[in-house]
Amino acid sequence: MDDAQGTPPRRGAYEKGVRRRREILDRAIEVFAERGAEGTSLRAIGEAIGVSHAALKHYFSSREELLIEVYRAAEERSIVEDRPPAGVSVVGIMTHAARRNHGVPGLVQLYSTLVAGALEEGNELSRAFFGERFALLRRFLAERVEAEQAAGRIRPDIAPEAAAALIIAASDGLQTQWLLDPRIDIEKSLELLEGLLGR
Amino acid sequence: MDDAQGTPPRRGAYEKGVRRRREILDRAIEVFAERGAEGTSLRAIGEAIGVSHAALKHYFSSREELLIEVYRAAEERSIVEDRPPAGVSVVGIMTHAARRNHGVPGLVQLYSTLVAGALEEGNELSRAFFGERFALLRRFLAERVEAEQAAGRIRPDIAPEAAAALIIAASDGLQTQWLLDPRIDIEKSLELLEGLLGR
């Protein structure tokens, strides 16, 4: 157990770097939760979160990388801090996430901006991140659909993959409509979908 | 019928301007249908469509206005040229549009970019355009849902407004997933939704 007796310098510097990077992301999440990225430059983001441009460039190679890492960290944090209740339905998982997003419109906006950017040529980092994220989420939800079918809670004639893509699409699209018009009732439409899948 | 005898000069100039603006939009639609806006400047767009920067600025006050007008013109044109078949279902309308969009991925990408932009502060033009567009589309589809309920084709216990928002969200979200992964079967998921609403 040599490690317990003394941490070699390189490891200490590495850990300090990881901690500092984490602090930057935490601060950025707070700022973005309120007002989104708003097309600001890396320099302007640095000013908003009180971190020098040089420090930002040390930890993140580009604005795109910083924004993706902010989104990834925010999502991971929210999953850890605010899990959906045990035994919740597959649509309930998305409803829970949508309810959580209600308090952080800036992060929903950041998500929309990043996804739209991923569809444009040149943003390979975003494209890879969201391509993988959507694929993972579809697989996860398709497995949940299968489990609910086995438990008799979702109609057996529904294709799990098609249902998973539909549930994610509904959740994403409803959040976009809600950002443009706060009267949109995301939960009501998602509950409608849940009821339809269950009959 | 004075107008038939001779067009006054101002009117002629106005009509020429309308025609020229229309030509610019037509050319832009062709270019964007293939490759989207890709974050290019008004100047770069002018070069791509073979129109001088000065001419573009004469007809469009900003890049945002040009892109919205391109999207609006493309959508109007596709509605006129390729109507959904008579008697098609409410989900069928969106499936028809999604199938049409398959051939013009650049316009789907332009739509995503504009909607994401509309969610950011400062883009009031996009915000107003898409806020109104979504509201109109929801009202139109809600009326179709009611008509299908009256005809016994959609379950009577479904709230038309919630269903309309859900159908639009599903269609938008599925097209985003498809742009990131062409294996996504938009029609299969929309047909699933249609079947669920009908049972």
Side-chain angles (χ1 to χ4, degrees):
Chain A
M1 305 292 271
D2 277 352
D3 266 10
Q5 297 183 328
T7 314
R10 284 192 65 83
R11 191 171 172 88
Y14 174 75
E15 280 171 356
K16 201 178 151 200
V18 168
R19 212 159 47 229
R20 181 72 183 124
R21 189 174 185 278
R22 183 74 235 183
E23 283 166 8
I24 292 174
L25 289 177
D26 283 346
R27 180 80 190 101
I29 289 170
E30 281 169 35
V31 172
F32 287 158
E34 282 167 33
R35 59 186 204 198
E38 283 177 36
T40 45
S41 65
L42 199 57
R43 189 176 297 275
I45 294 168
E47 279 167 23
I49 65 178
V51 174
S52 77
H53 186 224
L56 272 191
K57 287 192 69 167
H58 176 71
Y59 291 105
F60 305 96
S61 65
S62 64
R63 177 176 181 272
E64 188 188 6
E65 188 191 334
L66 170 65
L67 295 184
I68 287 177
E69 292 307 320
V70 168
Y71 179 76
R72 189 207 303 268
E75 191 174 45
E76 280 172 5
R77 186 205 272 187
S78 72
I79 287 171
V80 170
E81 289 180 1
D82 184 15
R83 282 186 182 283
V88 73
S89 69
V90 57
V91 179
I93 293 170
M94 302 308 277
T95 308
H96 182 84
R99 203 175 295 145
R100 201 169 54 203
N101 287 341
H102 235 269
V104 286
L107 289 177
V108 182
Q109 184 203 307
L110 176 61
Y111 173 80
S112 296
T113 302
L114 287 174
V115 170
L119 307 181
E120 292 176 11
E121 302 255 329
N123 299 327
E124 295 312 318
L125 207 63
S126 309
R127 193 169 184 90
F129 176 74
F130 284 103
E132 191 188 2
R133 184 183 171 281
F134 276 116
L136 279 171
L137 196 51
R138 277 192 300 265
R139 212 172 311 144
F140 171 68
L141 292 184
E143 280 169 16
R144 298 290 298 244
V145 169
E146 282 173 19
E148 288 194 53
Q149 285 176 321
R153 287 196 300 271
I154 287 188
R155 305 169 55 103
D157 59 341
I158 287 170
E161 278 289 339
L166 177 64
I167 293 164
I168 297 165
S171 171
D172 282 3
L174 286 165
Q175 290 184 73
T176 300
Q177 290 181 55
W178 164 70
L179 278 179
L180 284 169
D181 184 349
R183 291 168 304 180
I184 293 299
D185 193 335
I186 299 177
E187 290 190 34
K188 191 173 178 193
S189 286
L190 286 180
E191 277 162 16
L192 167 61
L193 179 58
E194 173 153 41
L196 294 174
L197 289 167
R199 284 167 192 172
Chain B
M1 305 290 272
D2 277 353
D3 265 12
Q5 297 182 329
T7 314
R10 282 192 66 85
R11 190 171 174 86
Y14 173 74
E15 281 171 356
K16 201 178 150 199
V18 169
R19 211 158 50 227
R20 180 72 183 126
R21 190 173 186 276
R22 182 75 234 182
E23 281 167 7
I24 291 174
L25 289 176
D26 284 346
R27 180 79 191 102
I29 289 170
E30 280 169 37
V31 171
F32 287 159
E34 282 166 33
R35 60 187 203 198
E38 283 176 37
T40 46
S41 65
L42 198 58
R43 191 177 295 276
I45 294 168
E47 279 167 22
I49 65 178
V51 173
S52 78
H53 188 226
L56 272 191
K57 287 190 73 167
H58 176 72
Y59 291 105
F60 306 96
S61 65
S62 64
R63 177 175 181 273
E64 188 189 6
E65 188 191 334
L66 170 66
L67 295 184
I68 286 177
E69 292 306 320
V70 168
Y71 178 76
R72 189 206 303 268
E75 192 174 45
E76 280 172 6
R77 186 205 273 191
S78 71
I79 287 171
V80 170
E81 291 179 1
D82 185 16
R83 284 186 180 283
V88 73
S89 70
V90 58
V91 179
I93 293 170
M94 302 308 277
T95 308
H96 182 84
R99 203 175 295 147
R100 203 169 51 203
N101 287 341
H102 235 267
V104 287
L107 289 177
V108 182
Q109 183 203 308
L110 177 61
Y111 173 80
S112 297
T113 302
L114 287 174
V115 170
L119 308 180
E120 292 176 11
E121 303 253 329
N123 300 326
E124 295 312 318
L125 206 64
S126 309
R127 193 167 184 92
F129 176 74
F130 284 104
E132 191 189 0
R133 184 183 170 280
F134 277 115
L136 279 171
L137 195 52
R138 277 191 301 265
R139 211 171 312 144
F140 171 68
L141 293 184
E143 281 169 16
R144 298 289 298 243
V145 168
E146 282 174 18
E148 288 193 52
Q149 286 176 320
R153 287 195 300 270
I154 288 187
R155 304 169 56 103
D157 59 341
I158 288 170
E161 278 289 340
L166 177 63
I167 293 165
I168 297 165
S171 171
D172 281 3
L174 286 165
Q175 289 184 74
T176 300
Q177 291 182 54
W178 165 70
L179 278 179
L180 283 168
D181 184 348
R183 290 167 304 179
I184 293 300
D185 193 335
I186 299 177
E187 291 190 34
K188 193 174 176 189
S189 286
L190 287 179
E191 278 162 16
L192 166 61
L193 179 58
E194 172 153 43
L196 294 173
L197 290 167
R199 283 169 194 172

